[in-house]
Amino acid sequence: MRTRILYLAVSLLTLVTLGAATFIQDDPFAAILKKLEQFTASHPQEKVHLHLDKPYYAVGDDIWFKAYVVDARSGEPTMQSRILYVELINERDSLKQQLKLPMTAGIIWGDFKLTDSLSEGNYRIRAYTQLMRNAGPDFFFDKTIRIANSWTNTVFVDTRFEYGKGEGAQNRAIASFKNKAGEPYANQNVSYDVQIDYRSITKGRTKTDASGNAVIPFATPGPGGLKAGRIVSSLALEDGKRVTKVIPVLPRAAELDVQFFPEGGYLLQDLPCKVAFKVSDASGRGQAARGVVLDEQGSQISNFESNALGFGNFIINPQAGKNYKARVTFADGSEKTMNLPAAKSAGITLAVNNSDPAKITLRLYTTADAVNAGEIKLVGQSGGVVYLSQRINISKQLTNVTIKKEDLPNGILQLTLFSADNMPLAERLVFVRRADQEIALDFGSPAQTAAARQKMKFDFSASAAGKPVQGSFSVSVTNAAKVAPDPDNETNIFTSLLLSGDLPGYIEKPNAYFKDSSPATVEALDNLMLTHGWRRFVWKNIIAGVNAPLVFKPEKSMRISGVAKSYGGKPVVKGKISLLATQGGLFMSDTLTNDKGEFVFDDLVFGDSVKFVVQARTDKNRKSVDITLDQQNGQLVTKNKNTGDIEVNVNTSLAGYLTANERYIQELERSGRLQRTITLDQVNIVEKKNPARNSANLNGPGRADFVLTADKLTACATLSQCLQGRLPFVLFRNGIPYSTRTPNTPMLIVLDGMQVEGDFLDNINPNDVETIEVLRTIGNLAIYGSRGGGGILVITTKRGDGARTNTFVPGIVTFTPKGYSMVREFFSPDYDKTKNERPDLRSTVYWNPHVVTSAEGKGSFSFFNADEKGTYRVVVEGIDASGHLARKVFTYELK
């Protein structure tokens, strides 16, 4: 749990240790902190993590996940939002599936079924709440996953690229087309469309050679290198079918990008400064490099070398009147020389040492003319909560400050220096990780070896700071021999909620910063803090009071709301609003409008694709009401920010998994547990015109037991006379229609959407009628509720040429909102009860999204092993009510 701490202004010498105290509130700087507090209180924010059962998948698999949603301010499970959206997005940035899930205390789980209609590719799983839309998609959970396909795939493509240099460079994609057996599709026609940055730049046709290779040429459009895109290729097979394959085109710059980041924001003359650097390619992937720092005379004054992710740092003490350059040498031997940022002649900056697990040491460097120039302030905040605020009188050029970590939360701490006139001077991000703020999971001495189909039972205890905790945990067990883990590139509960949730943008191999607490890992994480420029808010905007409004409110429940107005545009006050749904049983509810004509049906629970009918009447039961429903626009699908995780040849990269998965898919098919999507051959259909296309039938135009058209209504004086004997199972007595199912109850007449009694029938001119629909059966009457007890005649009058695009029904609208998605249960066999002779080839052996520990911190789970030998990997993640996080990974061998 996070507790806000403010500090007292004290007389400062050259050494300061910050400790808890009380902050004086009656000054302009206190007003700035008050603005931050008001901003974070009025702009609540959330963060999401999804624990996935596997790092990659194949068509035919299920993606199982558990969502953890926390308050960005406190780190505790959110109590704001209660609905989560989880989406599966393909590499064309098109939404393939969306789940809407109800949360309890920030926790929910679900799954995606990867049907055989999906193609292989780089997919994304994106998760967010409506509240998170205020901060924008940069702060959503957004992970790229590879989905391979061998089950329904007949064409496998492996592509390599040859690049030219410079603007307008000629590039080539050499795509190899083969079948599942590895045999080439030789001498086959291929059409292609090269799309760069969502724009088609080249279209053409080519032919595969004897080896199945097709050459696709394209030029680099414009300056600045090649941007990301795709090649949409279509291979013509001998049976006349065409198979479309999408080939990713990765961005490519003319040269690697090198950036330098002075600690605190800038260099100062005659004062030492750490300079962090990052070397990356156009996809954002780090590249190894080394280099030297040179002065104006070419003398070397420092050297540096990056780690594998392209990060590093060096120390420089810039002299007044001198400029400096960095000569960088890349892995291929090429070089690049760049100017370092110019040093300022006056100012103050800060240097951080975060290597001590108990404290953070700051050094404040000040130029001589800034000594005794006024009081500065140091502020440290995390999640918008101020944890330290200190006034400092600078009396020397070097001031040491010590910050104890015992009062700080885990995660990113933003340190900012403010000038005497309360303007930001320098800033530094520091990552705090305290073991006592995490949940320790103790499994004792778990089994190291096991047998096929053996029942595995694991007991564990959960504690934080030595005290037992009650929490919710998710468990996945996979066969690592089939699903090879990539530990550094894993997204886990720590990387999502403590790192990428506050530092949006692409972070390569996020778990590399959490894999251990070695000095190299701590330094790598600190270099990431030095080089990442993202912020959840900007101090200058807080000071000026320039903050975006909270457009998207926390979604507490599903609701249907709107406003009812008269045709003249005035609100319908105290109007009766009825809500009706028939799917899954009859549902009806009524409410009244307020003095603004507004109405709301709240706390609704319904599944997806449920159709609602909203009816409005005035306080005098008149139908002349216009209903406008409130509808939330969907979230746009933005470009994939994880460009460094894109794999050009997905099937090839997962060849081992596909081979191992092939037997599993075949076994599921044999046992009838695998559902196929039925793909029909192309059929030419001649559309039959809907005779009741303008109908106000709530079931949909033409969806009736019988439809009578205008050409049957001739040579009769009254409409009842015309209909006598022409409507099956409908009788007329004294001009009033009765259904043979309910011979004593008159049928209801719906005339152009208006409900009238049966005796109104002969007031309608037969020549004005376009169609009459008979509703008699329960399936067609259910949507009308009790009003349709005697049956209904839906009468639609002519509209000139008989065509009407928009059907207007006074006082009635139909609405099909997005409902809750069904949550399935993971199938886990019980070999104690059922003896199954079929081979057990599961790659995800066990998935349990909700293992709850007791008040004493005790928990357990059990499952049965599969048949295949290998290393079985157990991953446990979880959270408690105070926001403490947990993750444990261990393995055992199946022999």
Side-chain angles (χ1 to χ4, degrees):
M1 179 183 295
R2 298 187 176 192
T3 304
R4 188 180 62 177
I5 304 170
L6 297 177
Y7 293 88
L8 176 68
V10 297
S11 175
L12 186 71
L13 302 176
T14 57
L15 177 64
V16 178
T17 299
L18 301 186
T22 304
F23 184 68
I24 300 173
Q25 300 288 327
D26 56 349
D27 61 79
F29 185 64
I32 293 175
L33 299 183
K34 185 66 175 178
K35 284 184 178 181
L36 174 61
E37 182 180 4
Q38 292 171 345
F39 170 78
T40 54
S42 62
H43 290 70
Q45 298 177 12
E46 294 168 331
K47 297 185 284 190
V48 180
H49 167 64
L50 295 190
H51 177 191
L52 305 178
D53 66 308
K54 286 195 290 246
Y56 48 77
Y57 300 86
V59 170
D61 284 344
D62 298 300
I63 299 177
W64 301 95
F65 64 83
K66 179 178 181 179
Y68 298 87
V69 185
V70 302
D71 186 310
R73 181 181 171 92
S74 67
E76 299 171 0
T78 184
M79 295 298 174
Q80 296 277 345
S81 298
R82 295 181 183 173
I83 297 177
L84 180 71
Y85 298 84
V86 185
E87 298 169 340
L88 182 66
I89 301 169
N90 68 8
E91 58 189 4
R92 298 191 189 193
D93 297 324
S94 176
L95 187 64
K96 299 302 293 183
Q97 297 181 45
Q98 184 189 64
L99 305 178
K100 186 175 183 179
L101 300 169
M103 292 190 297
T104 301
I107 290 172
I108 189 57
W109 49 89
D111 65 278
F112 289 108
K113 191 169 189 63
L114 302 180
T115 63
D116 59 342
S117 60
L118 294 175
S119 60
E120 71 274 11
N122 298 276
Y123 287 73
R124 295 155 59 192
I125 294 183
R126 188 173 74 166
Y128 58 91
T129 64
Q130 289 292 332
L131 182 64
M132 291 174 66
R133 295 178 67 183
N134 292 294
D138 284 325
F139 292 92
F140 294 176
F141 177 91
D142 196 334
K143 179 174 177 59
T144 297
I145 59 170
R146 292 171 290 165
I147 298 178
N149 184 11
S150 67
W151 175 26
T152 59
N153 193 17
T154 57
V155 177
F156 291 76
V157 184
D158 191 271
T159 307
R160 61 184 176 87
F161 289 86
E162 295 177 354
Y163 298 99
K165 294 184 179 180
E167 181 179 348
Q170 295 301 311
N171 312 301
R172 299 198 317 162
I174 298 92
S176 175
F177 294 88
K178 296 181 179 180
N179 63 19
K180 189 179 294 189
E183 300 166 339
Y185 285 100
N187 304 314
Q188 301 294 317
N189 291 321
V190 177
S191 61
Y192 59 85
D193 181 7
V194 182
Q195 302 169 5
I196 302 298
D197 199 26
Y198 294 96
R199 184 171 61 90
S200 177
I201 64 167
T202 302
K203 293 182 179 180
R205 290 182 174 87
T206 186
K207 203 166 191 175
T208 60
D209 60 19
S211 300
N213 296 326
V215 177
I216 301 174
F218 63 97
T220 299
L226 183 66
K227 295 183 178 180
R230 61 183 65 90
I231 299 173
V232 181
S233 63
S234 179
L235 176 70
L237 302 181
E238 291 180 351
D239 58 4
K241 293 182 179 179
R242 300 192 70 89
V243 176
T244 300
K245 294 292 179 180
V246 178
I247 303 168
V249 177
L250 301 182
R252 185 177 176 86
E255 57 185 16
L256 295 177
D257 180 53
V258 182
Q259 298 183 64
F260 295 95
F261 303 86
E263 186 173 21
Y266 50 85
L267 299 174
L268 288 178
Q269 293 178 2
D270 300 317
L271 290 173
C273 180
K274 179 188 291 184
V275 178
F277 65 90
K278 181 181 180 181
V279 182
S280 60
D281 62 16
S283 296
R285 287 188 290 240
Q287 301 294 317
R290 54 186 172 81
V292 295
V293 178
L294 307 173
D295 62 15
E296 293 172 325
Q297 288 72 41
S299 300
Q300 178 178 329
I301 63 169
S302 183
N303 65 307
F304 54 86
E305 186 170 357
S306 76
N307 61 13
L309 295 176
F311 291 106
N313 66 71
F314 58 88
I315 303 295
I316 185 175
N317 192 335
Q319 302 301 303
K322 287 190 175 184
N323 296 313
Y324 298 88
K325 295 182 178 181
R327 188 172 65 218
V328 185
T329 303
F330 305 112
D332 62 359
S334 61
E335 293 185 348
K336 182 178 182 179
T337 301
M338 303 175 61
N339 292 324
L340 292 181
K344 292 185 176 182
S345 59
I348 182 171
T349 189
L350 74 170
V352 171
N353 185 335
N354 191 32
S355 59
D356 193 318
K359 66 186 181 208
I360 301 170
T361 302
L362 273 70
R363 288 191 168 195
L364 306 182
Y365 290 104
T366 310
T367 55
D369 55 350
V371 174
N372 297 319
E375 184 181 67
I376 67 168
K377 298 93 176 177
L378 173 66
V379 174
Q381 68 82 25
S382 179
V385 179
V386 175
Y387 287 89
L388 63 95
S389 177
Q390 181 66 52
R391 300 173 184 274
I392 303 173
N393 290 308
I394 300 297
S395 59
K396 294 183 179 181
Q397 284 191 265
L398 174 61
T399 302
N400 292 315
V401 178
T402 301
I403 302 172
K404 296 178 180 179
K405 292 183 179 180
E406 61 186 18
D407 296 320
L408 299 176
N410 277 1
I412 296 174
L413 179 71
Q414 180 180 348
L415 297 173
T416 308
L417 287 178
F418 287 85
S419 65
D421 55 355
N422 299 325
M423 295 303 295
L425 288 175
E427 191 171 271
R428 175 72 149 86
L429 299 185
V430 180
F431 195 89
V432 178
R433 188 172 185 186
R434 296 166 45 201
D436 63 333
Q437 288 292 305
E438 299 174 4
I439 298 175
L441 298 178
D442 184 4
F443 281 82
S445 301
Q448 299 297 306
T449 60
R453 303 199 180 192
Q454 176 183 334
K455 185 173 184 179
M456 307 297 295
K457 187 174 188 300
F458 293 98
D459 299 311
F460 67 96
S461 62
S463 62
K467 298 180 180 179
V469 297
Q470 193 169 16
S472 175
F473 302 85
S474 50
V475 182
S476 69
V477 182
T478 56
N479 184 348
K482 298 176 70 172
V483 186
D486 183 3
D488 283 357
N489 201 36
E490 286 181 329
T491 299
N492 59 54
I493 197 167
F494 286 99
T495 66
S496 294
L497 300 183
L498 299 184
L499 190 64
S500 58
D502 289 312
L503 289 184
Y506 178 57
I507 298 178
E508 183 183 7
K509 299 186 181 302
N511 197 42
Y513 305 105
F514 292 87
K515 60 184 179 182
D516 55 46
S517 57
S518 67
T521 301
V522 172
E523 183 182 20
L525 181 54
D526 197 51
N527 284 331
L528 180 68
M529 297 295 102
L530 283 164
T531 56
H532 211 296
W534 288 88
R535 304 289 186 275
R536 274 192 176 269
F537 67 87
V538 179
W539 272 112
K540 290 183 179 180
N541 292 343
I542 298 293
I543 295 170
V546 180
N547 300 308
L550 194 71
V551 177
F552 302 99
K553 302 297 189 293
E555 203 170 11
K556 301 292 187 182
S557 66
M558 290 196 294
R559 59 184 340 206
I560 295 177
S561 61
V563 62
K565 294 183 179 181
S566 67
Y567 290 166
K570 294 183 178 180
V572 174
V573 181
K574 294 184 179 179
K576 181 181 178 182
I577 310 295
S578 300
L579 181 68
L580 170 69
T582 59
Q583 185 172 333
L586 181 65
F587 169 82
M588 293 186 67
S589 182
D590 295 320
T591 189
L592 297 177
T593 58
N594 61 16
D595 57 357
K596 296 180 181 179
E598 299 168 338
F599 63 90
V600 61
F601 296 93
D602 213 344
D603 296 324
L604 301 176
V605 178
F606 54 89
D608 210 2
S609 303
V610 173
K611 184 176 183 179
F612 288 92
V613 178
V614 183
Q615 177 181 275
R617 296 291 184 264
T618 67
D619 57 349
K620 297 181 180 179
N621 203 33
R622 293 175 181 171
K623 307 179 183 72
S624 53
V625 179
D626 185 18
I627 306 171
T628 302
L629 295 178
D630 300 327
Q631 298 192 46
Q632 188 76 67
N633 293 329
Q635 175 63 43
L636 294 176
V637 178
T638 53
K639 291 182 181 180
N640 189 351
K641 67 180 181 180
N642 304 310
T643 51
D645 293 335
I646 299 296
E647 174 61 55
V648 173
N649 301 301
V650 170
N651 278 338
T652 303
S653 69
L654 298 180
Y657 179 64
L658 284 178
T659 301
N661 202 51
E662 186 77 13
R663 288 181 59 212
Y664 176 62
I665 293 293
Q666 292 172 355
E667 180 57 35
L668 289 181
E669 283 193 292
R670 279 194 293 268
S671 62
R673 288 184 288 157
L674 195 62
Q675 297 179 353
R676 275 187 176 271
T677 301
I678 299 176
T679 303
L680 300 176
D681 293 333
Q682 182 173 332
V683 178
N684 293 325
I685 299 175
V686 179
E687 180 182 7
K688 183 179 179 180
K689 184 177 179 181
N690 188 341
R693 59 183 297 182
N694 299 321
S695 167
N697 185 349
L698 296 182
N699 297 293
R703 294 184 178 181
D705 297 300
F706 180 78
V707 180
L708 185 73
T709 55
D711 59 329
K712 305 294 192 302
L713 302 175
T714 58
C716 48
T718 63
L719 187 56
S720 62
Q721 181 184 358
C722 286
L723 298 180
Q724 190 76 40
R726 286 190 171 95
L727 298 181
F729 305 107
V730 177
L731 305 175
F732 289 86
R733 297 198 296 267
N734 299 322
I736 299 175
Y738 292 83
S739 170
T740 57
R741 293 173 61 94
T742 53
N744 298 319
T745 304
M747 298 183 75
L748 179 70
I749 307 296
V750 177
L751 177 64
D752 289 338
M754 294 183 295
Q755 297 179 19
V756 296
E757 301 303 321
D759 58 4
F760 187 80
L761 188 65
D762 283 339
N763 294 321
I764 304 171
N765 187 341
N767 294 323
D768 292 337
V769 174
E770 182 178 303
T771 59
I772 297 177
E773 296 164 272
V774 180
L775 310 182
R776 296 179 58 258
T777 59
I778 295 176
N780 286 323
L781 291 174
I783 196 169
Y784 287 92
S786 60
R787 295 168 295 172
I792 299 175
L793 294 183
V794 180
I795 301 176
T796 304
T797 59
K798 295 176 181 177
R799 299 289 190 270
D801 61 357
R804 181 171 53 157
T805 304
N806 298 313
T807 302
F808 175 72
V809 183
I812 293 178
V813 295
T814 58
F815 184 42
T816 308
K818 178 76 176 176
Y820 287 138
S821 304
M822 181 181 69
V823 176
R824 297 185 298 147
E825 184 177 354
F826 179 83
F827 170 74
S828 186
D830 187 344
Y831 291 127
D832 283 344
K833 296 180 180 179
T834 304
K835 301 300 181 183
N836 191 341
E837 300 302 324
R838 296 183 179 276
D840 187 342
L841 307 174
R842 293 169 294 150
S843 56
T844 298
V845 179
Y846 180 66
W847 168 255
N848 189 336
H850 195 45
V851 178
V852 180
T853 52
S854 65
E856 293 75 31
K858 302 297 183 182
S860 67
F861 55 91
S862 61
F863 58 91
F864 288 87
N865 288 325
D867 288 340
E868 295 177 295
K869 298 178 182 179
T871 300
Y872 281 46
R873 188 171 189 252
V874 183
V875 179
V876 183
E877 295 188 352
I879 193 171
D880 68 3
S882 298
H884 298 125
L885 307 180
R887 188 171 195 262
K888 181 82 170 181
V889 180
F890 61 91
T891 61
Y892 64 92
E893 294 292 326
L894 189 68
K895 303 207 174 186

